[in-house]
Amino acid sequence: MEYVYTTSRRGMRAVGPLAAAMFWLLLLLLPTAARAQEIAAGNGFSFSIHPDGTLWGSGFNTNGQLGDGTGIARALPVQIGTATTWQRVASGNSFTQAIRTDGTLWAWGRNDRGELGDGTTFNRNAPVRVGMASDWRSLAVGATHTLAIKTDGTLWAWGRNDQGQLGIGVANNTSNPTPVQVGTDTDWQSVAAGQLHSLAIKTNGTLWAWGFNGDSQLGDGGTVTQPAPVQIGTATTWRHVAAGLGALHGVAIRADGTLWTWGRNVNNQLGDGTAAVRRSPVQIGTATTWQEAVVGPTYTMALRTDGTLWGWGQNDYGQFGDGTTTNRTTPTQMGTVDTWQTLVTGNYQVLARRTNQSVWAWGWNSSGQLGSPDAPTPLRATPTQVGTALDWATAAVGNDYTLALTTAGALLSWGQNITGQLGRGNALKSLLPEPGAVVGAAAWQNVAAGQRHNVALRSDGTLWAWGNNGSGQTGQGTAFNNPPVSTPVQVGAATWQRLSAGQEFTLAIRPEGTLWAWGMNSNGQLGDNSTTLRTTPVQVGSEANWQQVAGGVGFSLGVRTDGTLWTWGLNGNGQLGDGTIIQRLVPVQVGTDTDWQSVAAGQLHSLALKTNGTLWAWGFNGNGQLGDGTTTQRLAPVQIGTATTWQQVAAAASHSLARRTDGSLWATGLNSSGQLGDGTITQRTSFARVGTATWQTVATGPTAAHTVAVQTNGSLWAWGLNNYGQTAQEITAPAPVLVFPLPAPLPVALTEFTAAPEGAQAVRLRWATALEVNSAAFGVERSPDGVTFRTVGTVPAAGTSTAPRAYTLLDQQLPAGVPVLYYRLQQLDQDGTFSYSPVRAVALSTVAPTRLTLAPNPTTGAATLRGAAAHAPVQLYDAVGRLVLTATADATGTAHLVLPTGQPLGVYVVRTGGQAVRLVLE
């Protein structure tokens, strides 16, 4: 996942009451296409329609669900296109639908189930019109399906329908890419879409439901899936109904203001004070002033007619907005604000609008979905200290969590905990960014983290494991994860000496030097000459001279006491280093050298040190993770530089770290989440030093995008991706933060700011002010993607003035090959502080991006991409949006893609820049 960040508001300052009042008066007097705001929240992304009819979005964007023409996540809102006529917007898991004031319907994002309704199953990263109808009135978006009502009262549906959620009388597993009418009725009033079901109200006040019903989310008294609408009860006074992403319960309000809920209730999301499932609607309390309700996966929120906000259910992500993460079993008022007007939920974020039209957000900010500079950011680009303790000894890094060991033998953990991987005895508390003790006596000696499981040694030599056990990786003789292993359990009765955890498998060495393995084995990563999953330790060969091992993603590395290097498992990218891409089911020796000292295994690459202090690397190198100055894949070990003072190596998903004998730390590879710690998000192909500190040890993991290290003074530091609090920094905003408008307006009354093409090779910027306070200059900044800006010109300002002023600047040095440019003003004060204007987008119709081509397509394993930008990063995703591999185009825009061995047959997506193309593997 890539993140790009705009400058924060640190330089902004408020102006006096008169200036502020004039600013807002002038803003309200500006022409607007639509005064009413709408808000939407999807799975990790959010939208708001501003009073001027523009649409703005932030958050996760891998499938183009923001619609800004890219696949780049946005930590702060960016404008979507240039249209000023947006009226309604709604978001699902990975896609978005919106209606304009002319009644046309538009969609963008993921589309493999036809959820966009544009007649295709191609993803779209910018809005495309859905059909030619211009009479759409309202819409509702579920996880992967869409429902919409036309002005004639007819109901239409499209997208996924395997559980009958479209309501067309049948359930099918095929895509449904065009709108189909639901029955023939013309009296549909409102509709709500859930994970796999749908709810609706007719104009006669009756309530209807259809789709999946395994948790009684339809409220019809049973658990039978319904492929067509069925009436719920006989009441004719329903006026509001809600369903939500990931939610298995429903909420509705009657005309008398009473609130009713039904369905799953494990997390008290129904609000009746119990955890009992309710198969038909039950009234919650006796209040008769409920106005609106929204539904999250495990929680519910609602507004009353007095403008107060209420919440109940699970609150792990601070989604109630009350400043806590305390769960609630019955409706509880959140704060004292009584001006809330409307709200929406995504998975674990909430957006709400107040009566003054301001938009606020709270909850989880894993991808920037809160869209506020006041919310915690999902990355740390420089090392940040974890607490103040100076007794840290070592650390281990999982996919989205961290473990760290003190010199006294205490083991602490933090981050994601959905499978109990933190070992703190509570697998239901899914997010714990504050370090806490792993259950057990403080006698831990060493620890290793896999993707979401861990193994640790105690001082008595016993081995303990916890976390995800879906592949038997905890060594307990079973392979299940319900419930998760949330506290350490002992692995057999033997004593152990060294250990390593790969993705869903474990490796360990006993004191006599024998090697044992267990867990996932689909690629032969256990080395026992099979691909059979093992739920208890099995010996790897019969040798008793293993010195050190490392587990990666589907492959393993090991060094023996004689200094020989051995590898086995997956090898599609040469990560075994034996000069081939052939999978190995047993350890094979790499070369004939006998001076190997230690190894580290990443996702698709490997690192090693020799006894002479030299550093070596091999395998996939699309992000420069090998550090050899290139992005060329290596099938055999290559020496990195000429230094002979390397002491430790650590390999991650797409980056690498190495420490020298002088304590200096060095990093290379992917840096989109700041995982290199150099203060940037710039990818590196050669090792660069991380600051000037001296380090004692460093850790990362084969599926991780964050880094943890201990300095020589015993302090612990972390950096990189922080979407689950894995760097021990907060990632939720449990109290509302402002999204729109920014609380500190420009210290000028900006009455106009436009950007428009002037001829074929220039853009004219114009802006006007009615008031300026201590204003020194205006810097005009340009960006090719809406977030990474650079100054293209500066215009002196008027200082302090109440007279109207007009300014202009002509940008004549436009970058080649960019179809859309973004501009903003940086207003610089005389005291050196600065603020930013809204962003303006300019479409350059004369610029046509090169069309991407893939050949052969279909392929049996490899394909060549042409038409990319020179040296542009290229990603390949599978059908569910998981990253499969990355590459970098050469100077001609060509990239050679080799799919890892064993990839499932089917459709994949290749993405570069703002373009994407499908690849079929057969």
Side-chain angles (χ1 to χ4, degrees), residues 490-515:
Q490 189 171 348
V491 181
T495 57
W496 304 83
Q497 190 173 63
R498 301 289 295 270
L499 68 163
S500 178
Q503 183 190 42
E504 298 192 37
F505 71 101
T506 305
L507 303 167
I509 300 172
R510 289 185 179 172
E512 74 275 11
T514 57
L515 175 62

mmCIF file of all heavy atoms in Angstrom, residues 490-515:
data_model
loop_
_atom_site.group_PDB
_atom_site.id
_atom_site.type_symbol
_atom_site.label_atom_id
_atom_site.label_comp_id
_atom_site.label_asym_id
_atom_site.label_seq_id
_atom_site.Cartn_x
_atom_site.Cartn_y
_atom_site.Cartn_z
ATOM 1 N N GLN A 490 2.637 -24.145 25.553
ATOM 2 C CA GLN A 490 3.924 -24.801 25.357
ATOM 3 C C GLN A 490 3.883 -25.741 24.159
ATOM 4 O O GLN A 490 2.887 -26.430 23.913
ATOM 5 C CB GLN A 490 4.335 -25.584 26.602
ATOM 6 C CG GLN A 490 5.774 -26.110 26.533
ATOM 7 C CD GLN A 490 6.241 -26.697 27.843
ATOM 8 O OE1 GLN A 490 5.587 -26.532 28.864
ATOM 9 N NE2 GLN A 490 7.384 -27.372 27.815
ATOM 10 N N VAL A 491 4.970 -25.767 23.397
ATOM 11 C CA VAL A 491 5.109 -26.648 22.246
ATOM 12 C C VAL A 491 5.884 -27.888 22.694
ATOM 13 O O VAL A 491 7.108 -27.860 22.835
ATOM 14 C CB VAL A 491 5.845 -25.947 21.085
ATOM 15 C CG1 VAL A 491 5.947 -26.883 19.879
ATOM 16 C CG2 VAL A 491 5.139 -24.652 20.709
ATOM 17 N N GLY A 492 5.180 -28.991 22.935
ATOM 18 C CA GLY A 492 5.823 -30.217 23.366
ATOM 19 C C GLY A 492 6.535 -30.050 24.697
ATOM 20 O O GLY A 492 6.314 -29.089 25.443
ATOM 21 N N ALA A 493 7.412 -31.020 25.010
ATOM 22 C CA ALA A 493 8.133 -30.996 26.293
ATOM 23 C C ALA A 493 9.631 -30.814 26.112
ATOM 24 O O ALA A 493 10.368 -30.743 27.093
ATOM 25 C CB ALA A 493 7.860 -32.296 27.053
ATOM 26 N N ALA A 494 10.107 -30.749 24.857
ATOM 27 C CA ALA A 494 11.537 -30.653 24.586
ATOM 28 C C ALA A 494 12.068 -29.268 24.950
ATOM 29 O O ALA A 494 11.317 -28.322 25.183
ATOM 30 C CB ALA A 494 11.796 -30.943 23.119
ATOM 31 N N THR A 495 13.367 -29.150 24.961
ATOM 32 C CA THR A 495 14.018 -27.855 25.121
ATOM 33 C C THR A 495 14.576 -27.419 23.778
ATOM 34 O O THR A 495 14.935 -28.248 22.937
ATOM 35 C CB THR A 495 15.149 -27.917 26.168
ATOM 36 O OG1 THR A 495 16.091 -28.911 25.773
ATOM 37 C CG2 THR A 495 14.584 -28.244 27.538
ATOM 38 N N TRP A 496 14.645 -26.087 23.584
ATOM 39 C CA TRP A 496 14.997 -25.516 22.290
ATOM 40 C C TRP A 496 16.059 -24.458 22.464
ATOM 41 O O TRP A 496 16.248 -23.917 23.557
ATOM 42 C CB TRP A 496 13.760 -24.931 21.627
ATOM 43 C CG TRP A 496 12.649 -25.935 21.470
ATOM 44 C CD1 TRP A 496 11.730 -26.291 22.414
ATOM 45 C CD2 TRP A 496 12.372 -26.724 20.316
ATOM 46 N NE1 TRP A 496 10.891 -27.256 21.920
ATOM 47 C CE2 TRP A 496 11.254 -27.543 20.629
ATOM 48 C CE3 TRP A 496 12.953 -26.840 19.043
ATOM 49 C CZ2 TRP A 496 10.711 -28.439 19.730
ATOM 50 C CZ3 TRP A 496 12.398 -27.717 18.134
ATOM 51 C CH2 TRP A 496 11.297 -28.509 18.477
ATOM 52 N N GLN A 497 16.726 -24.112 21.339
ATOM 53 C CA GLN A 497 17.835 -23.168 21.415
ATOM 54 C C GLN A 497 17.668 -21.972 20.498
ATOM 55 O O GLN A 497 17.947 -20.847 20.898
ATOM 56 C CB GLN A 497 19.137 -23.899 21.076
ATOM 57 C CG GLN A 497 20.399 -23.105 21.344
ATOM 58 C CD GLN A 497 21.633 -23.955 21.157
ATOM 59 O OE1 GLN A 497 21.912 -24.445 20.060
ATOM 60 N NE2 GLN A 497 22.370 -24.176 22.243
ATOM 61 N N ARG A 498 17.251 -22.167 19.247
ATOM 62 C CA ARG A 498 17.067 -21.080 18.280
ATOM 63 C C ARG A 498 15.710 -21.241 17.630
ATOM 64 O O ARG A 498 15.182 -22.361 17.517
ATOM 65 C CB ARG A 498 18.164 -21.116 17.194
ATOM 66 C CG ARG A 498 19.587 -20.993 17.713
ATOM 67 C CD ARG A 498 19.896 -19.588 18.217
ATOM 68 N NE ARG A 498 19.870 -18.590 17.173
ATOM 69 C CZ ARG A 498 20.922 -18.224 16.436
ATOM 70 N NH1 ARG A 498 22.108 -18.803 16.649
ATOM 71 N NH2 ARG A 498 20.829 -17.295 15.518
ATOM 72 N N LEU A 499 15.126 -20.153 17.128
ATOM 73 C CA LEU A 499 13.796 -20.236 16.533
ATOM 74 C C LEU A 499 13.587 -19.141 15.497
ATOM 75 O O LEU A 499 14.296 -18.128 15.475
ATOM 76 C CB LEU A 499 12.733 -20.135 17.620
ATOM 77 C CG LEU A 499 12.578 -18.795 18.360
ATOM 78 C CD1 LEU A 499 11.242 -18.752 19.067
ATOM 79 C CD2 LEU A 499 13.676 -18.619 19.397
ATOM 80 N N SER A 500 12.603 -19.383 14.618
ATOM 81 C CA SER A 500 12.222 -18.410 13.598
ATOM 82 C C SER A 500 10.778 -18.670 13.206
ATOM 83 O O SER A 500 10.310 -19.814 13.231
ATOM 84 C CB SER A 500 13.121 -18.508 12.361
ATOM 85 O OG SER A 500 12.714 -17.584 11.374
ATOM 86 N N ALA A 501 10.066 -17.613 12.832
ATOM 87 C CA ALA A 501 8.674 -17.741 12.394
ATOM 88 C C ALA A 501 8.527 -17.125 11.011
ATOM 89 O O ALA A 501 8.879 -15.962 10.805
ATOM 90 C CB ALA A 501 7.733 -17.058 13.382
ATOM 91 N N GLY A 502 8.031 -17.934 10.065
ATOM 92 C CA GLY A 502 7.727 -17.430 8.740
ATOM 93 C C GLY A 502 6.237 -17.143 8.630
ATOM 94 O O GLY A 502 5.520 -17.080 9.632
ATOM 95 N N GLN A 503 5.769 -16.985 7.407
ATOM 96 C CA GLN A 503 4.341 -16.759 7.205
ATOM 97 C C GLN A 503 3.589 -18.081 7.402
ATOM 98 O O GLN A 503 3.617 -18.961 6.555
ATOM 99 C CB GLN A 503 4.063 -16.198 5.812
ATOM 100 C CG GLN A 503 2.588 -15.887 5.580
ATOM 101 C CD GLN A 503 2.290 -15.577 4.136
ATOM 102 O OE1 GLN A 503 2.795 -16.237 3.231
ATOM 103 N NE2 GLN A 503 1.462 -14.573 3.884
ATOM 104 N N GLU A 504 2.963 -18.226 8.544
ATOM 105 C CA GLU A 504 2.143 -19.392 8.893
ATOM 106 C C GLU A 504 2.951 -20.677 9.055
ATOM 107 O O GLU A 504 2.407 -21.768 8.913
ATOM 108 C CB GLU A 504 0.999 -19.594 7.878
ATOM 109 C CG GLU A 504 0.034 -18.429 7.840
ATOM 110 C CD GLU A 504 -1.223 -18.732 7.074
ATOM 111 O OE1 GLU A 504 -1.725 -19.867 7.153
ATOM 112 O OE2 GLU A 504 -1.714 -17.831 6.380
ATOM 113 N N PHE A 505 4.220 -20.580 9.378
ATOM 114 C CA PHE A 505 4.992 -21.762 9.729
ATOM 115 C C PHE A 505 6.107 -21.369 10.691
ATOM 116 O O PHE A 505 6.443 -20.189 10.845
ATOM 117 C CB PHE A 505 5.553 -22.465 8.484
ATOM 118 C CG PHE A 505 6.657 -21.745 7.767
ATOM 119 C CD1 PHE A 505 7.988 -22.118 7.942
ATOM 120 C CD2 PHE A 505 6.375 -20.712 6.876
ATOM 121 C CE1 PHE A 505 9.007 -21.477 7.267
ATOM 122 C CE2 PHE A 505 7.390 -20.059 6.189
ATOM 123 C CZ PHE A 505 8.711 -20.444 6.388
ATOM 124 N N THR A 506 6.665 -22.391 11.351
ATOM 125 C CA THR A 506 7.672 -22.167 12.385
ATOM 126 C C THR A 506 8.867 -23.081 12.170
ATOM 127 O O THR A 506 8.710 -24.239 11.758
ATOM 128 C CB THR A 506 7.064 -22.437 13.780
ATOM 129 O OG1 THR A 506 5.887 -21.634 13.937
ATOM 130 C CG2 THR A 506 8.055 -22.111 14.882
ATOM 131 N N LEU A 507 10.056 -22.567 12.463
ATOM 132 C CA LEU A 507 11.301 -23.325 12.421
ATOM 133 C C LEU A 507 11.987 -23.187 13.781
ATOM 134 O O LEU A 507 11.950 -22.106 14.384
ATOM 135 C CB LEU A 507 12.235 -22.785 11.334
ATOM 136 C CG LEU A 507 11.694 -22.731 9.899
ATOM 137 C CD1 LEU A 507 12.620 -21.894 9.026
ATOM 138 C CD2 LEU A 507 11.555 -24.125 9.329
ATOM 139 N N ALA A 508 12.598 -24.264 14.258
ATOM 140 C CA ALA A 508 13.299 -24.184 15.545
ATOM 141 C C ALA A 508 14.422 -25.213 15.605
ATOM 142 O O ALA A 508 14.329 -26.303 15.023
ATOM 143 C CB ALA A 508 12.318 -24.404 16.695
ATOM 144 N N ILE A 509 15.479 -24.851 16.319
ATOM 145 C CA ILE A 509 16.659 -25.717 16.479
ATOM 146 C C ILE A 509 16.749 -26.137 17.947
ATOM 147 O O ILE A 509 16.599 -25.315 18.855
ATOM 148 C CB ILE A 509 17.948 -24.971 16.063
ATOM 149 C CG1 ILE A 509 17.854 -24.533 14.600
ATOM 150 C CG2 ILE A 509 19.177 -25.853 16.285
ATOM 151 C CD1 ILE A 509 19.002 -23.630 14.154
ATOM 152 N N ARG A 510 16.991 -27.428 18.145
ATOM 153 C CA ARG A 510 17.163 -27.946 19.502
ATOM 154 C C ARG A 510 18.633 -27.843 19.909
ATOM 155 O O ARG A 510 19.511 -27.655 19.063
ATOM 156 C CB ARG A 510 16.668 -29.392 19.581
ATOM 157 C CG ARG A 510 15.146 -29.491 19.493
ATOM 158 C CD ARG A 510 14.661 -30.922 19.704
ATOM 159 N NE ARG A 510 13.206 -30.975 19.648
ATOM 160 C CZ ARG A 510 12.493 -32.089 19.634
ATOM 161 N NH1 ARG A 510 13.115 -33.284 19.671
ATOM 162 N NH2 ARG A 510 11.187 -32.057 19.591
ATOM 163 N N PRO A 511 18.939 -28.008 21.186
ATOM 164 C CA PRO A 511 20.331 -27.843 21.657
ATOM 165 C C PRO A 511 21.331 -28.768 20.974
ATOM 166 O O PRO A 511 22.507 -28.404 20.824
ATOM 167 C CB PRO A 511 20.220 -28.153 23.163
ATOM 168 C CG PRO A 511 18.823 -27.778 23.512
ATOM 169 C CD PRO A 511 17.997 -28.161 22.324
ATOM 170 N N GLU A 512 20.889 -29.947 20.528
ATOM 171 C CA GLU A 512 21.823 -30.868 19.869
ATOM 172 C C GLU A 512 22.043 -30.538 18.401
ATOM 173 O O GLU A 512 22.790 -31.222 17.696
ATOM 174 C CB GLU A 512 21.318 -32.310 20.018
ATOM 175 C CG GLU A 512 20.116 -32.659 19.135
ATOM 176 C CD GLU A 512 18.780 -32.294 19.740
ATOM 177 O OE1 GLU A 512 18.770 -31.563 20.767
ATOM 178 O OE2 GLU A 512 17.737 -32.712 19.201
ATOM 179 N N GLY A 513 21.380 -29.452 17.906
ATOM 180 C CA GLY A 513 21.606 -28.999 16.541
ATOM 181 C C GLY A 513 20.647 -29.540 15.515
ATOM 182 O O GLY A 513 20.810 -29.256 14.319
ATOM 183 N N THR A 514 19.628 -30.307 15.923
ATOM 184 C CA THR A 514 18.631 -30.780 14.950
ATOM 185 C C THR A 514 17.638 -29.662 14.647
ATOM 186 O O THR A 514 17.365 -28.794 15.485
ATOM 187 C CB THR A 514 17.880 -32.009 15.479
ATOM 188 O OG1 THR A 514 17.275 -31.677 16.738
ATOM 189 C CG2 THR A 514 18.822 -33.187 15.644
ATOM 190 N N LEU A 515 17.083 -29.718 13.418
ATOM 191 C CA LEU A 515 16.147 -28.694 12.956
ATOM 192 C C LEU A 515 14.754 -29.294 12.844
ATOM 193 O O LEU A 515 14.586 -30.384 12.296
ATOM 194 C CB LEU A 515 16.601 -28.149 11.599
ATOM 195 C CG LEU A 515 15.671 -27.139 10.913
ATOM 196 C CD1 LEU A 515 15.503 -25.882 11.766
ATOM 197 C CD2 LEU A 515 16.209 -26.781 9.531
#
